[in-house]
């Protein structure tokens, strides 16, 4: 198993209600990378994340850490993929710490009030990394949107899975929280995780990601380093915008400017 | 770092302590109500007499009253109350919906139909398992149908409408059987099943119901941690390794076994499954896994108390315990609807 390819997809396709939502997507993704998955609404970004995690049936091959996804049990998948859905839904007013502790569920630590030392340490690390320790006792339903998103992020970090899939984790957050969340994900990538994050913010994608996957109408339209993937042609064709571009602190700045 | 660690440590103990105390207090209450249930009736016995008679002391009359007449009744009250409370908490956990409960889903009504059908066909007798098996199958079908109709992420409105449809159908089917029954005795028997009572139960009834109730309770309780994972929604629970489809099937089986077997020997006793988890949440928190045991104990206490009440309330003829629980439960249900009005209104928009 080479370092350069941890998660592979070949000819990935997904049909939902008779409609092809994903068509022939092939990916090779490496650990220690933050990958931004961008595309217009309805391009199939969420579907791709779900398919990669094995949460919905797909055609084609997915290999994770050298093992075929279809050969893995539900729990083995759960240990490999930490999945953060949109919206951070929590149906009961549980304390934040119990939510984070659910990240240890795949490890067999199903009861948050009886965590072993390893699981407890993982929960602690995740809460420290996301600055949520002070929220531990609070009920998640009483938290602000920004606090809730950090708790949700702590939950997926606590899985300590090799692949972290985050679906629009910065949606409806103020600029500071957006930067915080992207930085936490950046930190996770730097410490060895393959992070795939769906975002509509091309600026954040260009600023934080190692590589960008551009999805359009269920197909990969472009992929590569932010400046290579988010070219003017791609922005015009896929997003129907033109952008202002600059360099700031040796990072690419992309700001969608005009409808194209 | 250390400050954070300390904070986390105190949180754990603070949450664990009251829950243990509350469970103990509930156990004590249930124990006292058992004694009360054994002591109350046409012949009133003091708790000491009851304890003596229970363990073979005292007069022969007291022994017969306590051991053979009242003990089966108390055991059934305990077991059925507990399984109703547990089923309610499990269904609310599965559906992440505080209005879920066996009676709103028509499970007891369907079980009653199964039981009544057996009576009308002349297949029921106190020693045969036809009655509980038919009741269990009928309640399985009703809960399965409800979840199939309402789907995985059902809102309250959908659940309540589907439950209403299924309980109305089961009720109509039961009335049809009664309607068609040629023997007036059968019609009387059926009417009794629709009311729900713990009167005059023997150990035969206990033997008919208890094994199924115990298995159903074990199944529901074994899934407790999955309910907590489901707090994050079905998809996220799946991503944590919970087989949601299997879980749903297990809950349907557990509820059907428990409620079906209970109804088969007592008739329909409603609303305990709805009320018990709500009474417990302010005390033990909203964690659906930690709610199961307290809800079961609370359900047992409620049914035992109701069954004592129907013996104490002076009336010209017997009040059935199922009538009493509905009389208390329905206003409570209305109160819940008022409280959840906003989200219900949102569901309609």
């Amino acid at each position: 198993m080479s370092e350069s390819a941890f998660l592979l997809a070949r000819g990935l396709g997904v049909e939902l209600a008779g409609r092809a939502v994903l068509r022939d997507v092939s990916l090779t993704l490496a650990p220690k990378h933050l990958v931004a998955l961008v595309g217009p609404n309805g391009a199939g970004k969420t579907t791709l994340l779900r398919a990669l995690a094995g949460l919905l049936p797909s055609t084609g091959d997915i290999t994770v850490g050298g093992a075929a996804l279809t050969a893995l049990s539900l729990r083995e998948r759960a240990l490999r993929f930490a999945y953060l859905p949109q919206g951070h839904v929590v149906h009961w007013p549980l304390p934040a710490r119990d939510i984070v502790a659910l990240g240890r569920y795949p490890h067999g630590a199903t009861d948050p009030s009886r965590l072993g030392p390893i699981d407890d340490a993982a929960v602690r690390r995740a809460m420290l990394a996301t600055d949520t320790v002070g929220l531990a006792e609070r009920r998640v339903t009483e938290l602000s949107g920004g606090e809730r998103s950090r708790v949700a992020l702590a939950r997926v970090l606590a899985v300590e899975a090799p692949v972290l899939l985050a679906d629009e984790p910065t949606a409806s957050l103020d600029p500071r929280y957006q930067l915080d969340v992207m930085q936490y994900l950046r930190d996770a990538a730097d410490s060895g995780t393959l992070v795939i994050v769906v975002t509509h913010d091309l600026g954040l994608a260009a600023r934080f990601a190692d590589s960008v996957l551009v999805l359009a109408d269920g197909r990969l339209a472009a992929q590569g380093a932010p400046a290579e993937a988010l070219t003017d042609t791609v922005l015009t064709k896929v997003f129907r915008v033109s952008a202002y571009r600059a360099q700031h602190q040796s990072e690419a700045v992309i700001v969608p400017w005009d409808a194209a | 770092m250390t400050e954070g660690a300390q904070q986390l440590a105190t949180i754990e103990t603070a949450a664990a302590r009251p829950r243990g105390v509350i469970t103990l207090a509930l156990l004590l209450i249930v124990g006292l109500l058992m004694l009360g249930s054994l002591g109350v009736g046409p012949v009133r016995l003091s708790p000491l007499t009851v304890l003596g008679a229970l363990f073979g002391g005292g007069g022969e009359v007291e022994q017969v009253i306590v051991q053979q007449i009242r003990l089966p009744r108390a055991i059934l009250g305990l077991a059925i109350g507990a399984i109703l409370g547990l089923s309610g908490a499990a269904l609310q956990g599965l559906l992440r919906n505080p209005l879920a409960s066996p009676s709103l889903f028509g499970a007891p009504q369907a079980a009653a139909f199964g039981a009544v059908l057996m009576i009308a066909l002349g297949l029921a007798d106190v020693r045969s398992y036809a009655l509980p098996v038919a009741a269990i199958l009928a309640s399985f079908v009703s809960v399965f149908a409800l979840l199939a109709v309402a789907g995985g992420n059902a809102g309250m409105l959908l659940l309540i409408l589907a439950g209403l449809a299924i309980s109305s159908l089961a009720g109509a089917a039961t009335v049809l059987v009664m309607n068609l029954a040629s023997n007036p005795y059968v019609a009387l028997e059926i009417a009794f099943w629709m009311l729900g009572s713990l009167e005059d139960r023997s150990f035969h009834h206990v033997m008919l119901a208890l094994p199924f109730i115990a298995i159903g309770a074990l199944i529901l309780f074994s899934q407790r941690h999955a309910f907590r994972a489901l707090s994050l929604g079905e998809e996220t629970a799946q991503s944590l390794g919970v087989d949601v489809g299997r879980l749903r099937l297990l809950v349907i089986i557990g509820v059907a076994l428990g409620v079906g077997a209970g109804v088969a020997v007592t008739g329909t006793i409603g609303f305990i499954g709805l009320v018990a988890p709500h009474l417990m949440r302010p005390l033990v928190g909203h964690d659906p896994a930690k709610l199961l045991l307290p809800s079961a104990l609370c359900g047992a206490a409620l049914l035992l108390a109701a069954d004592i009440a129907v013996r104490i309330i002076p009336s010209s003829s017997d009040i059935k315990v199922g009538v009493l629980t509905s009389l208390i439960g329905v206003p409570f249900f209305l109160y819940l609807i008022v409280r959840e009005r906003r989200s219900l209104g949102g569901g309609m928009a």
Side-chain angles (χ1 to χ4, degrees):
Chain A
M1 188 66 246
S2 79
E3 260 278 295
S4 61
F6 189 79
L7 180 62
L8 287 105
R10 247 180 323 198
L12 191 62
V14 173
E15 238 181 60
L16 294 177
R19 197 173 72 88
V21 183
L22 277 188
R23 273 170 290 188
D24 196 27
V25 172
S26 294
L27 300 167
T28 304
L29 301 173
K32 278 195 136 193
H33 275 66
L34 177 60
V35 181
L37 178 55
V38 300
N41 287 323
K45 302 183 296 294
T46 298
T47 304
L48 177 55
L49 277 201
R50 287 179 181 159
L52 288 175
L55 294 174
L56 47 80
S58 58
T59 55
D61 301 317
I62 299 172
T63 318
V64 53
L69 187 68
T70 45
L72 297 175
S73 72
L74 214 53
R75 188 169 162 197
E76 288 167 327
R77 290 177 197 183
L79 287 168
R80 285 164 177 76
F81 294 97
Y83 175 66
L84 180 63
Q86 270 177 62
H88 317 314
V89 176
V90 180
H91 291 276
W92 303 109
L94 301 179
R97 183 192 168 272
D98 285 5
I99 297 296
V100 179
L102 278 175
R104 301 307 290 172
Y105 196 95
H107 299 265
T110 50
D111 187 349
S113 53
R114 289 201 188 82
L115 292 186
I118 295 171
D119 299 307
D120 196 45
V123 168
R124 210 159 283 180
R125 272 195 297 277
M127 296 189 80
L128 286 169
T130 51
D131 194 21
T132 49
V133 173
L135 307 175
E137 249 175 303
R138 305 257 309 273
R139 291 174 172 182
V140 280
T141 40
E142 293 160 6
L143 301 178
S144 74
E147 291 169 331
R148 208 179 307 175
S149 72
R150 281 186 295 155
V151 170
L153 196 57
R155 203 262 304 157
V156 278
L157 289 178
V159 183
E160 301 196 334
V163 185
L164 196 165
L165 307 167
D167 199 351
E168 295 198 34
T170 58
S172 73
L173 294 183
D174 68 31
R176 172 59 201 267
Y177 276 134
Q178 294 189 19
L179 290 174
D180 281 350
V181 164
M182 289 308 285
Q183 189 58 52
Y184 299 144
L185 292 172
R186 181 69 255 174
D187 293 344
D190 289 339
S191 56
T193 311
L194 165 59
V195 179
I196 305 175
V197 51
V198 171
T199 180
H200 279 299
D201 191 322
L202 302 179
L204 287 178
R207 160 96 168 76
F208 285 97
D210 299 301
S211 61
V212 175
L213 301 171
V214 182
L215 211 55
D217 205 14
R219 294 176 198 273
L220 269 186
Q223 57 178 316
E228 294 163 24
L230 297 171
T231 58
D232 285 337
T233 325
V234 167
L235 291 184
T236 314
K237 274 181 68 180
V238 175
F239 293 94
R240 296 181 297 142
V241 295
S242 63
Y244 163 80
R245 287 171 188 277
Q247 285 275 324
H248 183 65
Q249 293 173 357
S250 73
E251 302 272 4
V253 174
I254 299 178
V255 182
W257 202 259
D258 273 319
Chain B
M1 173 103 199
T2 45
E3 194 194 332
Q6 273 169 356
Q7 236 170 322
L8 285 176
T10 47
I11 294 153
E12 277 165 51
T13 45
R17 208 178 304 119
R19 207 143 38 212
V21 172
I22 286 159
T23 308
L24 274 180
L26 284 168
L27 277 172
L28 192 71
I29 292 170
V30 169
L32 289 174
L33 286 169
M34 279 291 278
L35 276 184
S37 181
L38 294 174
V40 172
V43 181
R44 294 222 173 168
L45 303 171
S46 74
L48 277 180
T49 323
V50 166
L51 279 176
L54 199 54
F55 297 106
E60 203 180 318
V61 180
E62 282 88 4
Q63 279 192 28
V64 170
I65 291 176
V66 170
Q67 290 184 5
Q68 283 168 35
I69 299 177
R70 292 189 190 158
L71 188 58
R73 179 175 189 162
I75 291 175
L76 285 176
L78 174 84
I80 291 168
I83 193 69
L84 290 175
L86 183 60
S87 299
L91 283 172
Q92 292 181 9
L94 177 73
L95 297 162
R96 296 145 280 148
N97 192 321
L99 291 185
S101 84
S103 47
L104 289 179
F105 289 4
Q109 292 86 341
F113 165 69
V116 158
L117 193 62
M118 289 300 110
I119 297 169
L121 295 173
L123 294 173
D125 97 54
V126 77
R127 268 161 242 264
S128 100
Y129 280 92
L131 211 56
V133 168
I136 287 166
L137 285 178
S139 50
F140 179 87
V141 170
S142 78
V143 186
F144 188 89
L146 185 118
L147 293 188
V149 169
N153 289 307
M156 303 203 196
L157 199 66
L158 201 54
L159 280 174
I160 291 167
L161 288 178
L164 180 70
I166 286 170
S167 50
S168 304
L169 181 65
T174 309
V175 174
L176 180 68
V177 173
M178 201 153 98
N179 202 206
L180 296 177
S182 45
N183 185 342
Y185 169 76
V186 171
L188 196 70
E189 181 92 330
I190 290 171
F192 155 83
W193 238 266
M194 294 165 71
L195 294 175
S197 169
L198 290 164
E199 262 170 82
D200 305 325
R201 297 295 113 118
S202 69
F203 273 106
H204 291 302
H205 295 101
V206 176
M207 289 314 295
L208 278 186
L210 206 54
F212 297 110
I213 291 177
I215 295 169
L218 279 177
I219 291 175
L220 294 178
F221 197 65
S222 69
Q223 300 303 310
R224 62 191 180 283
H225 295 305
F227 295 134
R228 185 188 297 113
L230 264 183
S231 308
L232 300 175
E234 294 202 349
E235 191 182 41
T236 312
Q238 187 110 6
S239 82
L240 289 169
V242 175
D243 188 338
V244 177
R246 180 172 159 271
L247 173 69
R248 195 175 306 162
L249 188 64
L250 283 174
V251 172
I252 299 172
I253 291 171
V255 169
L257 279 172
V259 173
V263 169
V265 296
T266 63
T268 56
I269 293 172
F271 291 96
I272 284 179
L274 178 71
V275 175
H278 280 279
L279 291 181
M280 289 299 109
R281 276 198 192 98
L283 299 176
V284 301
H286 289 72
D287 186 331
K290 308 278 185 201
L291 194 61
L292 293 183
L293 184 60
S295 293
L297 290 172
C298 178
L302 286 175
L303 186 52
L304 284 170
D307 188 42
I308 292 171
V310 296
R311 280 178 273 176
I312 294 175
I313 297 169
S315 68
S316 51
S317 71
D318 292 339
I319 301 173
K320 303 292 184 194
V321 72
V323 178
L324 186 67
T325 59
S326 294
L327 277 178
I328 297 168
V330 174
F332 185 82
F333 178 49
L334 283 174
Y335 156 73
L336 287 179
I337 292 178
V338 171
R339 214 180 57 176
E340 309 283 346
R341 196 157 44 182
R342 194 146 39 124
S343 57
L344 284 169
M348 272 180 277

